[in-house]
Amino acid sequence: MSTQNALLILAAAVAVLVAAGFLVRALSGTDRGASPLERRFGLEYARTLAWHGGDTESAHRDLRERLDTYGGIRALPLEPAVHEHYTAQWTLLQERFVDAPRQSVADADELLVRVAATEGFPDTDRREMQLVALSVHHPDHVEGLRALRRAGGSSTASTEELREALVEARALFEALMETGSPTGVGAGRPGWGRHRGHLLKPKGSGA
């Protein structure tokens, strides 16, 4: 098994464990006893804890450092024309997925980076710093950007894996668009949801 495949399997396993853990907590009501960091970071808290091998002290130190460094960022509103342009670009890359799935994933990564930079997150030449900053302000959606990069960086990722990564990344894009909306959440989104519910279905699928 290649290193890339092993990493993909590990990431999927962590995602399953994270989802299962949060479901159990929600059903049992144990979130009421969660730490402030756990409540603040949500899904990202569980991912960080898993990354640190369950070491709570290390995970908390990591998350506090992120807050201290990037917590003061205030997302800038997008100009209406820019907002509309980014929305159109996302729609276009979705439409192109069937014919060029790997390129669409790469384009989605580039677009998310540009949108985040426009809103005041670290610049496009500091992608890892930008991703960490996004984990502070969009902790429940930042995994979509990681999924894009895992899938896009794997030469063996299937079309379905690429599709799933793009679908997951769309949640981060929507969150950024809402944060950067020039006149309020949901404003200026012509054709939004054109692909919702049947995103990236192969040709001839009947969807």
Side-chain angles (χ1 to χ4, degrees):
M1 180 183 296
S2 69
T3 301
Q4 287 179 334
N5 284 340
L7 288 173
L8 286 171
I9 292 172
L10 177 60
V14 169
V16 170
L17 290 173
V18 167
F22 269 81
L23 178 60
V24 170
R25 293 175 66 83
L27 292 175
S28 64
T30 53
D31 274 338
R32 286 172 293 183
S35 71
L37 283 173
E38 190 169 359
R39 290 193 294 271
R40 171 67 177 76
F41 280 91
L43 292 174
E44 185 66 10
Y45 179 93
R47 295 187 190 102
T48 304
L49 186 61
W51 178 259
H52 287 282
D55 185 337
T56 303
E57 183 176 348
S58 295
H60 283 199
R61 182 166 55 249
D62 181 346
L63 295 171
R64 289 193 191 100
E65 287 176 356
R66 298 189 208 180
L67 277 173
D68 290 344
T69 305
Y70 301 110
I73 292 176
R74 294 294 176 265
L76 303 173
L78 301 173
E79 294 291 334
V82 174
H83 194 280
E84 183 174 349
H85 172 72
Y86 285 151
T87 300
Q89 287 296 303
W90 188 271
T91 298
L92 183 60
L93 70 86
Q94 287 187 159
E95 291 172 346
R96 290 175 173 171
F97 179 87
V98 173
D99 295 319
R102 189 168 295 278
Q103 185 60 51
S104 294
V105 165
D107 290 345
D109 187 351
E110 292 293 333
L111 181 56
L112 284 170
V113 166
R114 289 201 308 275
V115 173
T118 304
E119 291 188 7
F121 290 93
D123 292 335
T124 56
D125 59 346
R126 296 181 292 171
R127 297 191 177 205
E128 288 308 310
M129 293 175 62
Q130 186 187 83
L131 192 151
V132 175
L134 287 170
S135 77
V136 173
H137 293 271
H138 297 283
D140 291 336
H141 304 304
V142 69
E143 187 65 15
L145 183 52
R146 296 192 185 107
L148 276 183
R149 292 178 180 174
R150 285 194 300 267
S154 171
S155 60
T156 60
S158 67
T159 299
E160 178 60 18
E161 288 169 334
L162 294 169
R163 187 192 70 81
E164 289 174 356
L166 189 55
V167 169
E168 188 172 359
R170 186 181 63 184
L172 176 59
F173 178 76
E174 291 181 349
L176 286 168
M177 288 292 96
E178 290 176 355
T179 301
S181 176
T183 56
V185 173
R189 298 195 289 189
W192 198 260
R194 181 184 306 170
H195 297 277
R196 296 185 73 88
H198 56 277
L199 174 66
L200 313 176
K201 293 294 184 181
K203 292 178 179 177
S205 65

